[in-house]
Amino acid sequence: MTFARTCSVALVGVEGVPVEVQADLEPGIATFTLVGLPDKSLSESKDRVRAALANSGVEWPQRKLTVGLSPASVPKAGSGFDLAVACAVLGAAERIDPREIAGLMMIGELGLDGRVRPVRGVLPAVLAAAEAGYRQVVVPESAAAEAALVPDVSVLGVRSLRQLIAVLGDEPVPEEPPAEPGHDPTVPDTFGLVSSQSSLPGSGPVRVPDLSDVAGQRRARSALEISAAGGHHLFLKGPPGAGKTMLAERLPGLLPPLSRQESLEATAVHSVAGALEAGQPLIDRPPYCSPHHSATIAALAGGGSGVPRPGAVSLAHRGVLFVDEAAECSARVLDALRQPLESGYVVVARAAGMVRMPASFLLVLAANPCPCGRFGTAAGVCECRPSTVRRYRARLSGPLMDRVDLRVAVEPLARAELMAAAGATETTAVVAERVRAARERASARYAGSHWSTNSQVPGHTLRSHYPVADGALSQAEREMERGLLTARGLDRVLRVAWTVADLAGHDRPDREDVDWALELRTGISRGAAPGATPVSLGEGV
């Protein structure tokens, strides 16, 4: 038999497309042709496969060889097809039984010495294989734990092509030394994208930032709790050194652990980006992503040459995206956040195709009041011209800020307040328990729907099916009539009010809850009494 087939997976964004790898041998001059819309790195697999077979003790067939990747209309990129191509060639040459590989899904890059090397996107690839009905997959040994996260799929992890040939031929499996420790070439430079779960190799466990480290800032801590409980976006404005970054870094610790489905979604994105840690195949805590303020639209929303790859908004999926020095970012880059903030996903169109990637995240923006950071503070006289301050603030566009529910001024601490706060503030565990209870109240209220937090519920649904107390919206309605609130802004005030009520244990928001939500939205003090919410909200404004 001179024909054999096996299967692999092409990644389009963070979704996998099963690809049938076919090999055909015919009489003629020894050539190797690869068809099926491969990119440059995939076209180079011809040389990798040839060298890997030779160094694995297998003679290269001296006939005309054609390898096809079907469907041919799907762009195929990367070196993850090497293992499938090599086995298809071996099946066509009758070195192994073609029937043994016809039902296998193979993912892995081949080194010139025949070793099987890890590739990006193993988890979404195996998920696609399972959805297509495949129940046996072959992956690099180092990626076996990641592939095993998919239920009802048998995973075979191999170190070398020689081992796989022996397994398929029912021969004794040769011993292969483990991979040498060192830099994993599948992990790219993250360009300033920092994960809360990442650490340097050998550095040991990373200490999770605790909210007790933050001195004072009662109002900002209250907003942080509301943000975590209801999934509301947050804007922190204040001078340098006031604690904006400290607060943002502690927000993921207040969020509940990810569900199984959410963990798989987040892990799939990080797998495609090559950002998974060795020895930690599953992300079970909300990720934290902090791009540098000089990041481009492609780095933030996703993109790159060829098939687009996940950006910061996707790496923060089911977690927190923190944009520090937001006013230093390009206005065009910041406005790229508007679509994923509304839809929960991002669509990236390139010449190679259009991909849709998940991007459901909690946004935290932080900015100084002006370029020098002293505008409106007692720390010193601001040296910025009024026109400079206006241009600086204008980078945060109105449509973007209209999607941010909570806006809080983070004031610098006095020395006495800083010293008196030592050991007197609540820990992350205490606040996270209140957040968990509030989320359970919201989840019970929306049982039977696809909503789980207040920020997800459409405004018209809240107004028509979940009424607030009589007269509670009077102040907010007046602000809308005066033009200080848009219709979207009123809906978002209503969502925050429900979160405040959930934290306080109220059956529905009263006037104090709505006024506190309105104050957090507009930043204008209205004498709202946040004492309705326990502990942190009761500490005052």
Side-chain angles (χ1 to χ4, degrees), residues 118-503:
V119 294
R120 301 174 179 175
V122 169
L123 178 58
V126 177
L127 285 170
E131 292 176 0
Y134 291 90
R135 292 295 174 260
Q136 291 182 308
V137 297
V138 180
V139 298
E141 184 185 53
S142 59
E146 181 183 344
L149 296 173
V150 182
D152 302 324
V153 173
S154 175
V155 178
L156 173 62
V158 295
R159 293 181 180 177
S160 69
L161 183 59
R162 289 198 309 149
Q163 286 187 335
L164 181 57
I165 294 173
V167 171
L168 295 175
D170 198 19
E171 302 169 359
V173 179
E175 289 290 335
E176 294 283 2
E180 296 181 1
H183 175 64
D184 186 349
T186 67
V187 179
D189 185 349
T190 56
F191 300 103
L193 306 181
V194 181
S195 170
S196 62
Q197 300 184 1
S198 63
S199 61
L200 296 175
S203 62
V206 178
R207 178 185 177 273
V208 178
D210 197 278
L211 199 58
S212 61
D213 300 333
V214 180
Q217 303 300 352
R218 296 174 179 175
R219 185 188 185 93
R221 288 166 60 94
S222 300
L224 207 68
E225 182 176 344
I226 295 172
S227 175
H232 306 289
H233 306 305
L234 174 63
F235 174 54
L236 301 172
K237 183 178 73 172
K244 303 185 294 295
T245 302
M246 287 186 68
L247 288 162
E249 289 176 344
R250 283 146 182 81
L251 181 56
L254 301 181
L255 300 175
L258 301 181
S259 66
R260 178 70 178 182
Q261 180 60 33
E262 291 171 339
S263 293
L264 290 177
E265 292 175 6
T267 304
V269 174
H270 283 71
S271 178
V272 171
L276 282 180
E277 294 181 44
Q280 188 179 4
L282 182 67
I283 296 177
D284 55 1
R285 295 291 307 174
Y288 173 81
C289 190
S290 177
H292 192 262
H293 63 263
S294 62
T296 62
I297 293 180
L300 194 67
S305 59
V307 178
R309 292 196 177 276
V313 296
S314 296
L315 290 173
H317 181 59
R318 302 299 182 185
V320 176
L321 176 66
F322 176 49
V323 182
D324 198 7
E325 303 294 346
E328 298 288 349
C329 296
S330 165
R332 293 180 63 249
V333 172
L334 288 177
D335 283 340
L337 295 171
R338 287 157 54 180
Q339 184 255 337
L341 284 177
E342 288 292 324
S343 63
Y345 60 86
V346 60
V347 177
V348 182
R350 294 292 184 269
M354 180 181 297
V355 299
R356 169 174 160 165
M357 292 177 282
S360 179
F361 56 89
L362 194 55
L363 176 65
V364 180
L365 298 171
N368 296 328
C370 68
C372 76
R374 294 194 295 269
F375 183 85
T377 68
V381 179
C382 175
E383 299 175 354
C384 305
R385 296 180 178 180
S387 58
T388 303
V389 176
R390 286 195 299 271
R391 284 195 301 269
Y392 187 77
R393 295 180 176 180
R395 294 183 182 178
L396 301 176
S397 67
L400 173 64
M401 294 305 297
D402 202 33
R403 291 166 168 83
V404 178
D405 301 339
L406 310 172
R407 308 171 190 180
V408 181
V410 183
E411 302 294 343
L413 295 178
R415 182 188 63 83
E417 187 179 8
L418 178 64
M419 301 305 295
T425 55
E426 291 179 317
T427 64
T428 292
V430 172
V431 180
E433 179 60 27
R434 289 202 301 271
V435 169
R436 182 197 60 78
R439 287 206 170 206
E440 287 181 354
R441 290 178 65 89
S443 181
R445 183 166 59 250
Y446 307 128
S449 69
H450 59 278
W451 309 309
S452 58
T453 60
N454 294 313
S455 63
Q456 299 171 341
V457 185
H460 68 86
T461 302
L462 279 180
R463 293 191 301 271
S464 58
H465 294 85
Y466 303 97
V468 299
D470 294 338
L473 281 175
S474 58
Q475 182 67 34
E477 290 170 348
R478 284 195 295 270
E479 297 294 353
M480 185 177 178
E481 292 175 355
R482 295 170 56 193
L484 296 180
L485 273 183
T486 63
R488 179 195 288 138
L490 181 62
D491 287 343
R492 291 183 176 273
V493 168
L494 192 57
R495 293 169 185 161
V496 174
W498 270 104
T499 301
V500 174
D502 287 337
L503 286 167

Side-chain angles (χ1 to χ4, degrees), residues 37-59:
L37 211 58
D39 73 341
K40 177 65 174 175
S41 61
L42 180 51
S43 298
E44 293 172 348
S45 69
K46 296 185 293 184
D47 299 317
R48 291 193 299 270
V49 169
R50 188 193 301 267
L53 287 175
N55 289 315
S56 299
V58 179
E59 184 179 353

